[in-house]
């Protein structure tokens, strides 16, 4: 899958592109095209994951552990792993929770959440 990002004609959004096409995403969003698709395609739960800070912290800790393990195994670049580790620590501490916008019960087997 190819993922690209380019400037949009609108200053408050950007265009994200994947193998399915392009979508506008708010320019201040940390999430991208997959989350944008989930917001449209899976409106099952109107309650965003951000409603559950304990869930967000747990997701951050799982991602952090995965980054560390994959770094130690040599399958993830140490620089990338360290960046993931630091951001997960920030999220576990309460930062960026508003960026978790998909419904807590959403389709896609968690792809959009990841």
């Amino acid at each position: 899958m190819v993922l690209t990002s380019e400037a949009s004609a609108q200053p408050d959004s950007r265009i994200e592109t994947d193998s399915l096409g392009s979508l506008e995403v708010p320019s201040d969003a940390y999430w991208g095209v997959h989350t944008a698709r989930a917001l449209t395609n899976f409106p099952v739960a109107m309650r965003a994951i951000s409603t559950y800070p304990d869930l967000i912290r747990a997701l951050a800790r799982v991602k952090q552990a995965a980054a560390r393990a994959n770094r130690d195994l040599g399958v993830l670049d140490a620089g990338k792993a360290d960046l993931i580790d630091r951001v997960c620590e920030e999220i576990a501490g309460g930062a960026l929770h508003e960026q978790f916008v998909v419904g807590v019960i959403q389709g896609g087997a968690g792809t959009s959440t990841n």
Side-chain angles (χ1 to χ4, degrees):
M1 178 179 306
V2 176
L3 177 64
T4 62
S5 180
E6 58 188 63
S8 170
Q10 302 199 13
D12 58 345
S13 66
R14 66 182 188 269
I15 302 295
E16 292 274 341
T17 303
D18 66 5
S19 60
L20 297 177
S22 300
L23 289 175
E24 280 196 41
V25 174
S27 59
D28 61 347
Y30 282 75
W31 43 268
V33 67
H34 301 294
T35 296
R37 289 191 195 293
L39 292 172
T40 302
N41 296 336
F42 307 114
V44 174
M46 300 309 218
R47 184 173 296 146
I49 293 174
S50 59
T51 306
Y52 302 96
D54 289 340
L55 177 58
I56 295 172
R57 282 190 288 275
L59 289 168
R61 293 300 186 198
V62 168
K63 293 287 186 182
Q64 186 177 44
R68 290 175 179 178
N70 283 293
R71 177 200 58 215
D72 293 350
L73 290 171
V75 296
L76 181 61
D77 173 75
K80 288 181 183 179
D82 291 342
L83 179 60
I84 293 168
D85 192 302
R86 287 194 311 270
V87 172
C88 287
E89 195 63 40
E90 289 180 25
I91 291 169
L96 302 171
H97 284 209
E98 74 284 353
Q99 294 293 323
F100 291 79
V101 296
V102 295
V104 68
I105 302 172
Q106 55 88 35
T111 302
S112 306
T113 303
N114 289 321

